[in-house]
Amino acid sequence: MALDIRNSGLSDALVVLGSAGLVIPAFARFKISPVIGFILVGILVGPNALGSMVDRYPWLYFVTISNTHAIEPFAEFGIILLLFSIGLELSFRRLWAMRAQVFGLGAAELLISGLVIGAALYLMGQASSGAVGLGLALALSSTAIVLPLAGTTSAIGRGAFAMLLFEDLALVPIIFMLGALAPTATDEGWTGLADVAIAGGVTVVALYLAGRFMLPRMFGQAARTKSPELFLAASLLVVIVASLATAAAGLSPIVGALLAGLLIAETDYHEEVDAITAPFKGLALGVFLISVGMSLDLRLVARYWPELLAAISGVMLVKAVVTTLLLRFSGTRPGVAAETGVLMASPSETTLIVLGAAGTAGLIQPSTAAFWTTVTAIGLTITPLLAKGGRLVARRIEARVGGPEPIEPAVASNGTVVIGFGRVGRTIADMLRAHEKPYLAIEADIDVVNTARREGYNVQFGDVARSDMVDRLNLGHAKALVITMDDPVLSVRLTKRVRGWVPQLPIIVRARDAAHAAALYRAGATDAVPETLESSLQLSEALLVDLGVGVGPVIASIHEKRDEMRKSIKDAAGLEREPRIRRVRQVEA
């Protein structure tokens, strides 16, 4: 059967897939979240931009989305997969380990920001129920953009991650509340509210019990077949069944998706499920973000820009101030608190979900939902600019209040600079102290710095993700640089940058695996030590000694195997025998 080339489904699929192929690599090249790119594509190809010109230029039909309603089911599926992936990252055990920050700092940030924003909207004439929905929706921050910008291990990323984690969890009660209020909005009263609460609670408990007993067995059978297709089908089946069950109970389908993710996270198959569903999640989420962009009318933005500017500024100001103050009260440094507050100031992609739920429940008018959807979409696109602005604000605040103790270049000049003071960095410092070699350690966690200083270590506070921090280390006069951070992207970038201006400096870097080590060698590392390599060699050494093999032959074979594995890594890096960087021996003091 021949397909009609003017089939709207085919042309829309061409636009979506073509956008993914262009947006993701292009924005990744500039280290910008693809979220922004998809929204911009939606604006461009939507009915309010190029789509409005199809009558005059028919060829635009093939590069625009002609049927905006046709992609809505895929957009909704993208949100379901987004919440499912959030559930996979959480797990009940991880929530318990982070309970103090998540349910303390995170809850306070969401509730106080929502209360202030909702109160302001109520004073401006919004109905009380609508003000509650809008306040909670706008208090949410973007997990999809903030975490790639801040990470989860930096001083800024840890606080942001705790708050975002609670917000992701809070989607369940927020959506439940808004969905349960829908009968009240249609005069069914508290009886309807209670019915929805009971039905929803029973459904969630039933899904939890069924998942705990059935999921390990189901995924175990899928794993035994060694069929990726069956594993993918089982994963999607769990998500869809859970979403349909909660939808049938009167709740949002994303409640079931989040619960499905949490349950799978408790099994041994969560990493495989996460990896196998990631491409579908990214593409479906891209469709959702394109639909967000299509909802923006640039002509209306130009017409009502004063109101939109006031709304965006007001929401961001409230969230930035509340987040900053809460972090300061919890003991965070002023600069870190301010930078985190600014980064968390914009609304979230999940804000759009809550706005849609509030509109469906009849709590807000369609025009109100459209206005705040525009505000949210604009806020999402400027979040990377907020990250840069937050860094500038943090530098000024730290300079004004004195900031962390300054790094003395002379200290770095006397010996080795160790970046990262976790378990690996601490061990290296112990060895340097044992041999009376001077060193300076740099760590971005102020609590770790304070503890290490009390124990007598020479540790200074600093975040090497900032270029000015690296400049102050005076690495041109250091004898060696050791990078122990558990951030593979940053370690490669830092190695390449330092090698560019200090060609002879020995750079020894902790690597995750052989592929990461090869990337580090290409970036200019003198030595890249994979954790997997050394741990396997140590295990082999212990085993051989216990089996009665002499210590001398064991050590010789370990050295031989280490050289063999390093050579394979260097070959993978495209280097000849040894790295191009000449090995430099540290001169005895």
Side-chain angles (χ1 to χ4, degrees):
M1 180 179 67
L3 292 177
D4 184 2
I5 196 173
R6 294 189 62 85
N7 183 291
S8 62
L10 288 177
S11 63
D12 293 347
L14 173 66
V15 173
V16 172
L17 295 176
S19 300
L22 294 174
V23 166
I24 294 176
F27 278 70
R29 174 67 178 83
F30 297 100
K31 296 180 174 60
I32 300 175
S33 171
V35 170
I36 299 170
F38 282 118
I39 292 176
L40 294 178
V41 167
I43 295 173
L44 182 65
V45 304
N48 299 312
L50 294 180
S52 63
M53 304 169 63
V54 172
D55 292 338
R56 284 179 290 173
Y57 306 100
W59 61 270
L60 287 175
Y61 175 86
F62 300 102
V63 293
T64 59
I65 295 180
S66 56
N67 188 355
T68 58
H69 297 292
I71 69 169
E72 288 178 356
F74 301 99
E76 293 173 1
F77 189 57
I79 294 302
I80 288 174
L81 288 180
L82 172 64
L83 269 295
F84 173 66
S85 66
I86 291 172
L88 283 175
E89 294 174 2
L90 297 182
S91 85
F92 295 106
R93 285 191 294 265
R94 190 176 182 187
L95 287 178
W96 180 254
M98 299 181 61
R99 60 190 181 278
Q101 275 194 308
V102 173
F103 296 102
L105 181 63
E109 183 271 335
L110 176 62
L111 295 177
I112 295 175
S113 296
L115 178 63
V116 174
I117 296 172
L121 292 172
Y122 176 75
L123 294 175
M124 295 172 62
Q126 180 68 48
S128 58
S129 57
V132 170
L134 287 173
L136 291 173
L138 297 170
L140 299 170
S141 299
S142 176
T143 301
I145 300 180
V146 170
L147 286 186
L149 292 173
T152 59
T153 58
S154 67
I156 296 165
R158 282 187 295 273
F161 182 60
M163 290 182 282
L164 290 168
L165 196 55
F166 181 83
E167 290 178 3
D168 292 334
L169 286 177
L171 279 174
V172 174
I174 289 174
I175 297 299
F176 169 79
M177 180 185 67
L178 297 180
L181 285 176
T184 305
T186 55
D187 298 329
E188 290 189 13
W190 290 104
T191 301
L193 178 61
D195 291 342
V196 173
I198 294 172
V202 170
T203 301
V204 169
V205 171
L207 287 173
Y208 174 80
L209 295 176
R212 295 286 287 186
F213 289 102
M214 296 176 59
L215 289 183
R217 294 173 175 80
M218 183 177 72
F219 282 107
Q221 291 296 328
R224 291 185 185 94
T225 66
K226 301 185 183 301
S227 171
E229 295 82 2
L230 182 59
F231 216 94
L232 175 61
S235 303
L236 295 179
L237 176 64
V238 171
V239 178
I240 293 173
V241 168
S243 300
L244 289 175
T246 54
L251 302 177
S252 169
I254 69 171
V255 177
L258 184 61
L259 182 60
L262 285 168
L263 290 171
I264 294 177
E266 295 296 314
T267 70
D268 295 330
Y269 310 100
H270 65 278
E271 293 184 359
E272 180 69 17
V273 171
D274 190 23
I276 207 166
T277 58
F280 294 88
K281 175 193 70 177
L283 186 59
L285 182 59
V287 176
F288 167 74
L289 294 168
I290 288 175
S291 69
V292 172
M294 289 191 301
S295 67
L296 287 177
D297 189 338
L298 296 181
R299 289 167 293 189
L300 292 178
V301 172
R303 183 182 306 172
Y304 298 107
W305 70 265
E307 293 87 347
L308 291 170
L309 179 61
I312 295 171
S313 302
V315 169
M316 291 185 175
L317 178 62
V318 169
K319 294 177 65 178
V321 170
V322 169
T323 303
T324 301
L325 292 177
L326 287 172
L327 288 170
R328 286 293 295 127
F329 289 147
S330 67
T332 306
R333 294 196 59 82
V336 174
E339 183 171 350
T340 307
V342 173
L343 184 60
M344 295 278 290
S346 65
S348 167
E349 62 278 354
T350 49
T351 297
L352 302 169
I353 303 173
V354 180
L355 289 175
T360 302
L363 303 179
I364 58 176
Q365 297 297 320
S367 58
T368 303
F371 176 84
W372 290 109
T373 296
T374 302
V375 169
T376 301
I378 295 174
L380 284 170
T381 59
I382 65 174
T383 302
L385 300 178
L386 293 178
K388 294 183 179 180
R391 285 194 288 269
L392 295 176
V393 171
R395 291 174 190 171
R396 293 190 177 184
I397 291 176
E398 293 290 356
R400 183 177 302 173
V401 301
E405 294 184 16
I407 294 174
E408 298 294 338
V411 178
S413 302
N414 288 337
T416 300
V417 176
V418 181
I419 295 179
F421 203 72
R423 55 183 176 81
V424 178
R426 180 179 288 263
T427 301
I428 292 171
D430 287 336
M431 297 301 295
L432 290 171
R433 292 168 72 182
H435 292 276
E436 298 182 350
K437 296 294 183 180
Y439 71 92
L440 170 66
I442 307 299
E443 171 59 45
D445 189 328
I446 190 62
D447 296 325
V448 173
V449 172
N450 291 335
T451 302
R453 283 177 178 172
R454 287 194 295 268
E455 297 173 359
Y457 291 97
N458 185 21
V459 185
Q460 299 286 356
F461 174 84
D463 187 354
V464 294
R466 301 177 180 178
S467 57
D468 61 327
M469 179 70 234
V470 181
D471 294 338
R472 295 172 59 194
L473 290 176
N474 202 12
L475 293 173
H477 298 282
K479 290 187 177 180
L481 171 65
V482 182
I483 302 175
T484 71
M485 302 174 302
D486 188 19
D487 187 334
V489 176
L490 180 58
S491 60
V492 171
R493 188 168 72 242
L494 183 60
T495 300
K496 185 175 182 179
R497 184 179 176 207
V498 173
R499 180 58 68 203
W501 83 71
V502 195
Q504 299 301 321
L505 178 68
I507 303 176
I508 298 90
V509 193
R510 167 192 178 190
R512 281 192 174 181
D513 50 30
H516 185 211
L520 288 167
Y521 277 121
R522 287 193 293 269
T526 309
D527 276 303
V529 183
E531 293 178 329
T532 53
L533 184 156
E534 292 304 321
S535 61
S536 62
L537 291 178
Q538 290 179 30
L539 287 170
S540 301
E541 180 180 352
L543 171 63
L544 292 171
V545 171
D546 288 343
L547 292 175
V549 182
V551 175
V554 168
I555 293 177
S557 64
I558 291 295
H559 285 312
E560 182 180 348
K561 187 63 176 177
R562 180 182 287 111
D563 292 340
E564 176 187 333
M565 296 175 75
R566 285 188 173 179
K567 183 179 184 302
S568 67
I569 291 172
K570 292 169 184 176
D571 290 342
L575 304 175
E576 297 180 2
R577 295 186 181 178
E578 292 290 327
R580 290 173 295 187
I581 308 304
R582 181 173 60 85
R583 294 290 298 269
V584 181
R585 295 184 180 273
Q586 187 153 322
V587 180
E588 294 290 337

